[in-house]
């Protein structure tokens, strides 16, 4: 009889432990603790992103960095992964921006993931119509960035300001 009781207690302990672990991982627990998931607004323009959503969530920064290198270092401008095109589609209808408020497209996820966004130190957070993000002088800008990349150094803010003029 005592052996049977020990087995029942052990079984009950396993069931309670499993239930506690399942409860700890549930969405209700996150809501109860005040942790909120990012607010992801549907894109304003277009029917579909340039890549599937799960791919973009994992790889958007790789794509933007690759696009940046092609544009800045090689002078190749395409729209598929350009920051300007992303902003044009994902700017909030409320703020007109991707980074003006905590619920805007970029800020929402980056705050949730505790990742600092530095794109908008140079780039506009709002669509600028048909105007480019900033006036690049191909002879100076691309060459200056290429030299800095080859020398493995960062381009200073002052240099960037001089390049964009």
């Amino acid at each position: 009889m005592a052996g049977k009781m020990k087995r029942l207690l052990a079984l009950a302990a396993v069931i309670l432990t499993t239930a506690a672990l399942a409860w700890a991982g549930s969405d209700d627990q996150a809501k109860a603790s005040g942790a909120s998931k990012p607010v992801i607004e549907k894109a304003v323009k277009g029917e579909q992103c340039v890549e599937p959503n799960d791919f973009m969530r994992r790889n958007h920064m790789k794509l933007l960095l690759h696009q940046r290198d092609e544009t800045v270092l090689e002078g190749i401008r395409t729209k598929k992964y350009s920051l300007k095109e992303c902003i044009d589609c994902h700017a909030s209808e409320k703020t007109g921006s991707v980074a003006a408020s905590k619920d805007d497209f970029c800020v929402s996820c980056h705050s949730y993931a505790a990742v600092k966004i530095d794109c908008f130190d140079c780039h506009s957070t709002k669509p600028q119509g048909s105007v480019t993000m900033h006036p690049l002088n191909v002879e100076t800008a691309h060459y200056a960035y290429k030299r800095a990349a080859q020398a493995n150094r960062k381009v200073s803010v002052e240099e960037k300001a001089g390049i964009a003029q």
Side-chain angles (χ1 to χ4, degrees), residues 4-70:
K4 207 174 201 182
M5 185 63 102
K6 285 182 181 178
R7 276 187 255 147
L8 280 174
L9 285 174
L11 179 61
V14 167
I15 290 171
L16 287 173
T17 302
T18 303
L21 290 172
W23 179 77
S26 74
D27 283 340
D28 293 336
Q29 172 64 20
K31 289 176 189 170
S33 69
S36 60
K37 297 204 181 230
V39 175
I40 303 173
E41 289 185 26
K42 186 170 170 44
V44 177
K45 293 182 183 176
E47 296 297 316
Q48 184 176 343
C49 194
V50 294
E51 299 289 347
N53 291 344
D54 59 335
F55 178 85
M56 288 304 290
R57 287 183 185 123
R58 282 191 312 273
N59 299 299
H60 69 281
M61 201 59 221
K62 291 177 189 170
L63 298 172
L64 288 171
L65 290 174
H66 176 75
Q67 177 74 24
R68 176 208 59 196
D69 290 347
E70 280 192 347

Side-chain angles (χ1 to χ4, degrees), residues 136-147:
L136 286 177
N137 177 331
V138 176
E139 270 68 47
T140 58
H142 295 166
Y143 182 67
Y145 275 98
K146 194 170 197 172
R147 281 189 332 203

